[in-house]
Amino acid sequence: MADKLFIFDTTLRDGEQVPGCQLNTVEKIQVAKQLEALGVDVIEAGFPISSPGDFNSVIEISKAVTWPTICALSRAVEKDIDTAVEALRFAKHKRIHTGIGTSDFHIKYKFNSNRDEIIERAVAAVKYAKKFVEDVEFYAEDAGRTDNEYLARVVDAVVRAGATVVNIPDTTGFRLPIEYGSKIKYLMEHVDGLGVGKAILSTHCHNDLGMATANSLEGVLNGARQVEVTINGIGERAGNTSLEEVVMALKTHPYLNIDTNINTTKIYPISRMVSSLMNMPVQPNKAIVGRNAFAHSSGIHQDGVLKNAQTYEIMDPKDVGIDDNSIVLTARSGRAALKHRLLVNGIDIDDEKLDKIYEDFLRLADKKKDVTDDDILMLAGADRSANHFVKLDYLQVTSGVGVRNVASIGLKIANEKFEATATGNGPVDAAIKSLKKIINREMIMKEFTIQAISKGSDDVGKVHMQVEYDGHIYYGFGANTDIVAASVEAYIDCINKFVNK
Ligand code: KIV
Ligand code: ZN
């Protein structure tokens, strides 16, 4: 019989730490329900002591899902653990994930401590968490740069204290696959309490050198039985290990005899959902879920694939949920079709919200021939501006070759109307300058990217923006078939972040 590999998804904790990609609780619940449908074993729902938002999300996710274990992160500190216990009170299956840095860098510079004291703190945290929950995972932060002998002492001590899972994070993404694999092998061989029917080791690999998936697989091949992953590999810096890459690597290599519980046909829909809710584009050549992952453009490849897909395809796109025949909505589609398409994409909404999205959908369908899944996912997340203090009332732009670029803008600020006009060296510049005339604060645009959602000149353009104000960076997002309007929406989104602070 194949060995079972547990899939621990940390999209909503480590993944969500990406600046500008934070989700609200409702969005997190949508993702959590899709993770449940995908078949993950553990959902790391947040770090409850870090903010009231995280605390609340862990509570609400615990109520919303049934089968996966809900995990809450804590430092090796009693008040963190107390808060995690409190946040997990509605979870049907619960886990506390506690830990401390174990590399000499962390011990010396972060804790100003020594190796023995760190083991004492680790053991005390596990014992304390065990008073409240049976399932306790311990993380040895920066295990990647912790020497193996000392790491084995830490793992041995926390397993004796009752840890059910020990996480070996390559926090800085430094290790080569062969090194990470031999670290796991060393621990398996030198710690008695690990193995079948005992505590298990978990991989948690970051992608700073592009080796997160390779490192995780080496960990599994050397005895780890849980992998910590995120959808699309999102996460701070270069990200975490991607769920889809590990799962499909194991599925396409069945002789490795390692199974997961994942329903792979749900991979593509959740990938798009996470990308859309977090406003985080997936790179086109991303393995498994990138737009080009199954696109054959050279004549030789196309010819081969038409004769027999296996000539150039190692996976059937349908196995990861890519369905070429997916229905495209148009202006004639009704509410029921829209609701169905939202459901297929994992979004279950009440009739009031459906009415609102349907109105936006009709407006978009008037401007665009076909409305795709990506478009409706964008619409479903679009009511972010509902509580905005500063709102766009109207925008009129004249631009072209041989004429002056002029923009007139109307804003509603706390329901009062303001207007301004400005010229610029292009339509976006003119629009932003007119906006700045009204807002009149020292704002510096640090980043500005425009991206089309799928294809076609009628496509919705997405704009990501970073604006610096008063020494802080604010992230904004806008989406519109008119890229000047999308740019202004993104700028207004940034402004609302600091006026609402
Ligand atoms: O990368 C890391 O070390 C972590 C731990 C907090 C688990 O995310
Ligand atoms: Zn991490």
Side-chain angles (χ1 to χ4, degrees):
M1 209 177 79
D3 268 12
K4 160 128 195 213
L5 178 67
F6 291 92
I7 303 292
F8 174 116
D9 183 277
T10 184
T11 305
L12 297 174
R13 199 279 300 170
D14 221 355
E16 213 239 352
Q17 276 172 222
V18 182
C21 290
Q22 277 65 40
L23 300 179
N24 61 36
T25 303
V26 174
E27 292 165 333
K28 285 187 187 175
I29 291 170
Q30 285 176 6
V31 174
K33 283 185 165 170
Q34 277 300 94
L35 287 170
E36 180 170 40
L38 180 68
V40 305
D41 299 285
V42 185
I43 296 176
E44 188 162 47
F47 181 11
I49 193 122
S50 68
S51 71
D54 253 41
F55 180 84
N56 200 33
S57 297
V58 175
I59 292 197
E60 295 306 323
I61 291 170
S62 299
K63 290 182 193 162
V65 306
T66 308
W67 300 112
T69 295
I70 304 299
C71 179
L73 187 77
S74 77
R75 292 165 299 182
V77 172
E78 288 192 2
K79 73 170 180 335
D80 278 34
I81 296 171
D82 290 338
T83 312
V85 172
E86 176 71 7
L88 285 170
R89 65 186 186 276
F90 296 107
K92 289 96 192 163
H93 314 277
K94 51 187 93 173
R95 176 182 296 178
I96 289 181
H97 189 189
T98 189
I100 195 161
T102 54
S103 67
D104 289 334
F105 296 107
H106 282 232
I107 296 175
K108 187 165 172 211
Y109 299 111
K110 201 166 147 182
F111 301 113
N112 187 22
S113 181
N114 60 59
R115 288 181 164 195
D116 289 337
E117 202 178 277
I118 290 295
I119 293 186
E120 275 170 32
R121 284 166 71 170
V123 166
V126 172
K127 285 191 173 157
Y128 188 70
K130 277 299 248 197
K131 290 188 185 166
F132 308 100
V133 294
E134 176 43 38
D135 193 1
V136 174
E137 173 168 340
F138 176 82
Y139 64 85
E141 194 178 5
D142 205 14
R145 295 187 300 168
T146 303
D147 79 67
N148 289 350
E149 237 173 90
Y150 175 62
L151 189 59
R153 279 179 57 206
V154 175
V155 175
D156 183 64
V158 296
V159 168
R160 284 177 199 279
T164 44
V165 181
V166 186
N167 178 8
I168 309 298
D170 185 22
T171 306
T172 58
F174 174 66
R175 284 287 151 222
L176 299 177
I178 193 163
E179 296 169 339
Y180 189 76
S182 49
K183 186 176 282 287
I184 298 293
K185 185 166 190 276
Y186 182 92
L187 296 173
M188 292 299 294
E189 285 171 354
H190 289 83
V191 179
D192 283 343
L194 299 174
V196 183
K198 302 178 183 171
I200 60 167
L201 290 183
S202 179
T203 68
H204 179 113
C205 298
H206 281 267
N207 203 31
D208 299 67
L209 292 172
M211 281 186 270
T213 299
N215 284 353
S216 302
L217 287 170
E218 273 301 315
V220 173
L221 296 180
N222 283 285
R225 282 296 169 266
Q226 177 180 279
V227 281
E228 303 195 4
V229 289
T230 61
I231 302 295
N232 301 336
I234 61 163
E236 259 186 304
R237 310 185 310 276
N240 289 59
T241 307
S242 358
L243 178 146
E244 60 277 9
E245 291 176 13
V246 172
V247 168
M248 291 313 289
L250 294 173
K251 189 173 166 115
T252 50
H253 295 78
Y255 60 85
L256 294 175
N257 221 14
I258 295 171
D259 265 357
T260 70
N261 198 30
I262 297 297
N263 174 351
T264 60
T265 63
K266 305 269 184 198
I267 285 179
Y268 193 59
I270 194 169
S271 157
R272 278 195 322 215
M273 178 196 235
V274 167
S275 161
S276 166
L277 290 177
M278 290 194 170
N279 300 319
M280 175 108 174
V282 176
Q283 75 192 59
N285 59 335
K286 164 83 179 65
I288 322 289
V289 292
R291 195 170 62 235
N292 296 345
F294 294 93
H296 301 278
S297 51
S298 90
I300 296 175
H301 281 209
Q302 285 177 344
D303 183 53
V305 169
L306 287 174
K307 286 178 176 144
N308 181 332
Q310 280 179 334
T311 49
Y312 287 101
E313 276 183 5
I314 57 164
M315 296 167 268
D316 184 341
K318 288 200 175 63
D319 279 352
V320 296
I322 297 177
D323 177 6
D324 283 345
N325 303 321
S326 65
I327 301 163
V328 173
L329 300 174
T330 68
R332 283 176 301 285
S333 306
R335 272 183 183 66
L338 177 63
K339 189 173 169 87
H340 170 74
R341 227 35 240 166
L342 284 165
L343 270 177
V344 169
N345 283 285
I347 296 185
D348 190 3
I349 46 169
D350 59 30
D351 286 349
E352 197 184 325
K353 179 106 195 274
L354 179 66
D355 285 346
K356 163 82 186 67
I357 297 178
Y358 189 66
E359 272 173 37
D360 295 342
F361 160 77
L362 288 180
R363 262 195 294 278
L364 182 63
D366 269 351
K367 297 186 205 160
K368 255 192 113 193
K369 196 160 71 48
D370 297 331
V371 179
T372 63
D373 284 352
D374 289 312
D375 293 325
I376 60 166
L377 281 168
M378 187 260 312
L379 293 177
D383 65 355
R384 283 192 172 88
S385 64
N387 301 322
H388 275 176
F389 186 70
V390 179
K391 286 188 175 160
L392 179 63
D393 190 19
Y394 70 85
L395 174 69
Q396 189 182 17
V397 183
T398 313
S399 73
V401 180
V403 293
R404 283 191 327 146
N405 298 290
V406 186
S408 299
I409 199 165
L411 296 183
K412 271 193 196 155
I413 305 181
N415 283 331
E416 204 180 324
K417 288 193 178 188
F418 296 85
E419 293 179 314
T421 298
T423 54
N425 64 14
V428 174
D429 189 43
I432 300 288
K433 280 189 173 137
S434 61
L435 175 63
K436 279 173 135 182
K437 274 190 175 173
I438 303 176
I439 299 296
N440 198 18
R441 304 246 181 121
E442 275 296 312
M443 296 172 282
I444 305 164
M445 197 190 291
K446 290 292 200 188
E447 197 179 300
F448 175 37
T449 49
I450 303 182
Q451 190 210 13
I453 285 192
S454 42
K455 50 192 168 236
S457 56
D458 65 348
D459 201 0
V460 173
K462 286 182 171 186
V463 172
H464 293 259
M465 207 175 270
Q466 285 182 32
V467 166
E468 188 182 311
Y469 171 67
D470 202 18
H472 297 281
I473 296 284
Y474 297 89
Y475 297 84
F477 174 73
N480 201 301
T481 48
D482 176 335
I483 55 161
V484 184
S487 310
V488 168
E489 282 173 13
Y491 208 93
I492 292 177
D493 195 25
C494 292
I495 293 169
N496 277 293
K497 302 258 167 73
F498 64 73
V499 293
N500 284 338
K501 240 176 117 179

